[in-house]
C-alpha cells in the first residue's frame, strides 16, 4: 500500500492491542509465548481469583509491572505518537495496560482496559508509576480493603468513561488504523465497527488474520513498526521520546 498523507484525513483513530507492545518485548496474551499460555486467567486475572488469593494475584501483576517498567516503547509506539503530534485530531485507543503509548509521547490515551500503573481502592485511586506495590500496602491503610490494580480483568465491565470516549472518536473518525489486536475480546473487539459502519477508511495491521479482518478495507500482514513505516515513511524514525 502507498504512504498516507495526513492532510487527507480529518480525524484519525489508532486502535491498539498487545501486538504493538510485543515489539517492545512484552508478551501478547494469546498465542505461543502469550501470557495465558503460562498463567490461567481464572487463577490470576479475575475478581474471583483476587478474592480467593489476593497476594497471588498481586504477585502476578507485580511481575508484569517489572517487565513493563523494563521495556522501552517500540518503533510502532513512536510512530503513533509522531502522527498524533503532526495531526492534532488523532485519538489513541488502547487495550494495553502498559503505558507505553504515553512513554512514547502520545497524549490523552484512551485506556479501555485500564492501567497497570494505577491502583484502585474503595476510598481513593492511587498512582504508582514505576515499581511494585509493597506487600504491606496491598491493603488500604484508610479503609482496610485490599487495593487492586486498576485494570479490566475477565468478567469486569470496561471503564464507562473510556468506552464513551472511544465510541465518540470511532464514530467521527475518517481513518481507523487497528494494530496488533486479536479481535476476540469483547466488547473491545466490537468497537472498530463503529468507524467502518460510518465509512471510515480502515486498515488492520497484524501478521495474523483475525475474526474481524473482514471489516477492514486494507490488511497489512506485517509487524507493527514495519507496517507503520510503510504507511507513514515521513514519521517512521522520530526522535526517541524518553531520556
Ligand atoms: P492478544 O494477545 O489477544 O492478541 C495480540 C495480537 O497481536 C494477535 O492477533 C497477534 O497476531 C498480534 N501480533 C503479534 N505480534 C505482532 C506484531 N509484531 N505486530 C502487530 N501485531 C502483532 O491481545 P489483545 O488483542 O490486545 O487482547 C486484549 C486482551 O488484553 C484481553 O483479552 C485480555 O486478555 C488482556 N488484558 C489482560 C489484563 C490482565 O492481565 N489482567 C488486563 C487487560 C487486558
Amino acid at each position: 500500500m502507498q504512504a498516507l498523507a495526513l492532510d487527507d484525513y480529518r480525524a484519525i483513530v489508532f486502535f491498539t492491542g498487545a501486538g504493538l507492545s510485543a515489539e517492545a518485548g512484552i508478551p501478547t496474551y494469546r498465542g505461543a509465548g502469550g501470557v495465558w499460555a503460562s498463567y490461567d486467567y481464572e487463577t490470576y486475572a479475575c475478581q474471583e481469583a483476587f478474592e480467593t488469593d489476593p497476594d497471588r494475584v498481586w504477585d502476578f501483576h507485580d511481575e508484569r509491572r517489572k517487565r513493563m517498567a523494563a521495556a522501552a516503547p517500540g518503533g510502532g509506539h513512536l510512530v503513533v505518537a509522531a502522527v498524533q503530534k503532526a495531526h492534532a485530531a488523532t485519538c489513541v485507543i488502547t487495550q494495553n495496560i502498559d503505558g507505553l503509548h504515553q512513554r512514547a509521547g502520545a497524549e490523552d490515551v484512551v485506556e479501555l482496559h485500564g492501567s497497570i500503573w494505577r491502583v484502585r481502592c474503595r476510598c481513593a485511586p492511587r498512582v504508582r508509576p514505576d515499581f511494585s506495590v509493597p506487600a504491606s500496602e496491598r491493603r488500604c491503610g484508610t479503609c482496610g480493603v485490599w487495593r487492586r490494580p486498576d485494570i479490566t480483568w475477565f468478567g469486569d465491565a470496561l471503564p464507562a468513561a473510556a468506552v464513551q470516549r472511544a465510541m465518540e472518536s470511532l464514530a467521527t473518525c475518517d481513518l481507523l488504523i487497528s494494530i496488533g489486536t486479536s479481535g476476540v475480546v469483547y466488547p473491545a473487539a466490537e468497537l472498530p465497527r463503529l468507524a467502518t459502519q460510518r465509512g471510515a477508511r480502515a486498515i488492520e495491521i497484524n501478521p495474523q488474520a483475525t475474526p474481524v479482518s473482514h471489516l477492514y478495507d486494507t490488511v497489512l500482514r506485517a509487524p507493527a513498526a514495519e507496517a507503520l513505516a510503510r504507511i507513514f515513511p515521513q514519521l517512521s524514525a522520530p526522535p526517541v521520546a524518553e531520556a
Side-chain angles (χ1 to χ4, degrees):
M1 97 169 246
Q2 292 195 325
L4 296 183
L6 292 179
D7 289 347
D8 289 347
Y9 299 95
R10 188 178 31 77
I12 301 170
V13 169
F14 287 101
F15 186 81
T16 70
L20 182 63
S21 292
E23 296 183 351
I26 298 171
T28 59
Y29 293 96
R30 292 171 183 75
V35 174
W36 304 142
S38 310
Y39 295 92
D40 175 1
Y41 75 83
E42 291 175 332
T43 308
Y44 295 99
C46 66
Q47 184 63 28
E48 202 178 333
F50 188 60
E51 283 164 16
T52 304
D53 192 340
D55 275 320
R56 180 169 58 196
V57 172
W58 262 120
D59 288 345
F60 167 71
H61 287 87
D62 277 350
E63 281 309 307
R64 302 209 65 220
R65 281 169 177 239
K66 281 184 205 154
R67 184 142 193 180
M68 291 172 181
H77 293 103
L78 296 173
V79 174
V80 169
V83 170
Q84 194 184 47
K85 199 168 179 190
H87 190 292
T90 299
C91 177
V92 180
I93 303 171
T94 190
Q95 295 162 85
N96 298 340
I97 58 176
D98 52 39
L100 286 175
H101 277 300
Q102 292 91 330
R103 286 173 57 196
E107 293 180 355
D108 204 18
V109 177
V110 179
E111 294 176 315
L112 280 177
H113 289 160
S115 168
I116 201 158
W117 304 115
R118 289 194 301 266
V119 176
R120 198 191 298 167
C121 181
R122 180 192 285 171
C123 57
R126 182 150 177 203
V127 178
R128 287 184 173 274
D130 59 2
F131 49 83
S132 63
V133 175
S136 59
E137 294 187 22
R138 289 176 175 179
R139 272 182 195 271
C140 175
T142 305
C143 68
V145 169
W146 284 88
R147 297 184 170 114
R148 56 160 281 181
D150 188 19
I151 61 178
T152 305
W153 282 329
F154 286 88
D156 289 348
L158 268 59
V163 172
Q164 181 66 28
R165 289 194 55 213
M167 289 173 72
E168 285 166 10
S169 296
L170 285 159
T172 53
C173 73
D174 55 355
L175 175 63
L176 164 67
I177 302 177
S178 172
I179 310 169
T181 177
S182 57
V184 299
V185 180
Y186 283 79
E190 188 62 28
L191 290 175
R193 200 183 287 273
L194 288 172
T196 58
Q197 278 172 342
R198 290 176 193 235
R201 175 156 193 203
I203 300 170
E204 178 184 65
I205 298 174
N206 195 318
Q208 308 286 329
T210 74
V212 291
S213 293
H214 63 278
L215 293 176
Y216 294 85
D217 315 306
T218 305
V219 290
L220 296 178
R221 295 276 166 254
E226 182 188 318
L228 285 165
R230 234 186 282 166
I231 301 176
F232 301 110
Q234 71 281 27
L235 299 170
S236 64
V240 175
E242 289 197 313

